[in-house]
Amino acid sequence: MRLRSMLIGSAMLSLLAGCAGGPTDSASQESIEPAVATYQGSLPCRNCDGIGLDVELTGEEADAMKDRTFTLTASYMNHPQNPPDEDYAGNWEVLSGTPSDPDATVYELTPNNEGQTYYFLRMNESTLELIDPERRRFENGEKLRLKRQ
């Protein structure tokens, strides 16, 4: 009986010692990748077939602003002057409310260097709509939407 108690006691101590050892090397080497959301769409263009817009948002709404970055590429499709793509990068901010919906979520994308600030209304988890700097929707808003890829 004593031998059995000693074996059980030894097994319990081994189990507890293993738990107290902390994380293994493989667990400590894993890094958490930031969330990335990619949105794409085509905006109307007077002189071309459209402006292809690719937006990549890195980070989460709850992250610090320094951890929320974006890249944006605008490509003119079949434009007579064949302008180069416009590429922007910077940080994005989460704004609350629009004149018509105080509970709306708006993303403000501010480039690091020259370039205009973009405002997108979060329609749902998979759709952003380009809006004006006063956070108002355009009449043709359905043509200004980007879909999550």
Side-chain angles (χ1 to χ4, degrees), residues 49-69:
D49 293 342
I51 303 169
L53 209 59
D54 293 325
V55 176
E56 184 175 279
L57 302 176
T58 302
E60 302 276 347
E61 288 183 16
D63 291 345
M65 186 161 171
K66 68 176 182 64
D67 297 327
R68 291 190 311 263
T69 61

Side-chain angles (χ1 to χ4, degrees), residues 71-119:
T71 58
L72 183 147
T73 300
S75 305
Y76 293 86
M77 299 177 284
N78 294 320
H79 192 284
Q81 296 173 340
N82 199 24
D85 290 352
E86 296 176 17
D87 295 307
Y88 303 101
N91 292 90
W92 58 279
E93 181 65 73
V94 182
L95 306 176
S96 295
T98 66
S100 61
D101 182 1
D103 296 325
T105 299
V106 175
Y107 298 148
E108 177 185 58
L109 282 61
T110 305
N112 290 331
N113 299 317
E114 291 184 29
Q116 73 177 30
T117 299
Y118 287 85
Y119 295 86

